[in-house]
Amino acid sequence: MDDRTLRLRAVRAAARDLGLSDEGLRDVYARTIGSRSAAAASAADLGRVLDALRAAGWSPAPRRRKGDRRPAGSAQARKLRALWLSAYHLGIARDSSERGLGRWVLRQTQIEAIDWVDPTSLAKVIEALKSWIAREGGVDWPPADAGPLAARRAVIEAQLRRGGQLAAQVDLGRMGASELDAVIAAHGVEVRRRRAA
């Protein structure tokens, strides 16, 4: 693919990201290259158009490195991701990244991407991860109908059994999800440090 084609694609992506209509993009062409069409525009002309779009606030999305994956989107996948982070904050998973989770799911299912795993198999993977966390991390999972806050509190209690401490004034029962997540993350640093020593 030649430089002109790449720049034309970038111009179109930038216009889409900025929410420009076809007429709006034609106005940008007219101001920067003196023509309302990119048909006869050179690579240098399209470079000037890209500069104008950058000046209007567009910035290209960062490229993902090969092997990086976006976090999976289904509710089951989000639950699996939350459990994986709990395993990390308990010091039993060494890699908190999407890549680390993907390797674990691959060992469980022989399927490379979480998004490709069918819901029935994904439910089995979730239960396997919960069992591993209970066995290795000491988490006493609450009943399923207790809700996600109870599960977060169970992770914190397991962290505390591993030697963590809460400030005397902290009441886990009054904390919301984001506050509990912050406590888990803070204790996770201490748990991993202690395990490494």
Side-chain angles (χ1 to χ4, degrees):
M1 195 172 308
D2 67 340
D3 191 41
R4 182 189 181 282
T5 304
L6 289 174
R7 288 184 181 194
L8 184 57
R9 284 185 176 187
V11 165
R12 289 180 179 154
R16 183 180 57 244
D17 290 350
L18 289 171
L20 288 177
S21 65
D22 287 342
E23 277 303 306
L25 182 57
R26 290 179 190 282
D27 290 342
V28 173
Y29 288 150
R31 282 193 310 271
T32 57
I33 61 174
S35 171
R36 294 188 58 79
S37 171
S42 67
D45 292 337
L46 293 173
R48 288 195 304 277
V49 172
L50 280 172
D51 291 340
L53 293 171
R54 281 189 191 98
W58 176 73
S59 63
R63 290 184 177 215
R64 291 191 344 223
R65 294 180 309 217
K66 185 177 180 180
D68 282 356
R69 293 216 167 106
R70 288 187 192 106
S74 72
Q76 281 183 309
R78 288 191 303 272
K79 181 173 185 172
L80 185 63
R81 179 83 180 122
L83 287 168
W84 185 252
L85 287 174
S86 295
Y88 176 72
H89 290 308
L90 285 161
I92 58 177
R94 287 187 224 109
D95 181 359
S96 67
S97 72
E98 202 65 27
R99 178 182 266 170
L101 174 58
R103 283 193 302 260
W104 192 84
V105 170
L106 177 62
R107 283 193 303 272
Q108 298 294 313
T109 64
Q110 283 68 54
I111 298 174
E112 291 187 19
I114 296 169
D115 287 336
W116 299 345
V117 180
D118 64 275
T120 304
S121 298
L122 204 51
K124 291 177 183 175
V125 170
I126 288 169
E127 289 308 312
L129 183 53
K130 283 177 71 174
S131 295
W132 182 52
I133 293 170
R135 187 176 57 253
E136 298 295 323
V139 176
D140 296 322
W141 294 111
D145 61 353
L149 296 181
R152 286 174 168 95
R153 289 185 200 105
V155 171
I156 293 170
E157 289 165 5
Q159 288 177 318
L160 295 175
R161 285 192 294 275
R162 290 176 165 246
Q165 291 183 343
L166 283 177
Q169 70 274 17
V170 173
D171 181 7
L172 295 178
R174 301 184 120 194
M175 289 184 168
S178 60
E179 295 165 313
L180 291 170
D181 288 342
V183 170
I184 290 170
H187 283 303
V189 171
E190 183 63 25
V191 167
R192 287 188 307 280
R193 185 190 60 76
R194 208 174 291 117
R195 281 188 71 116

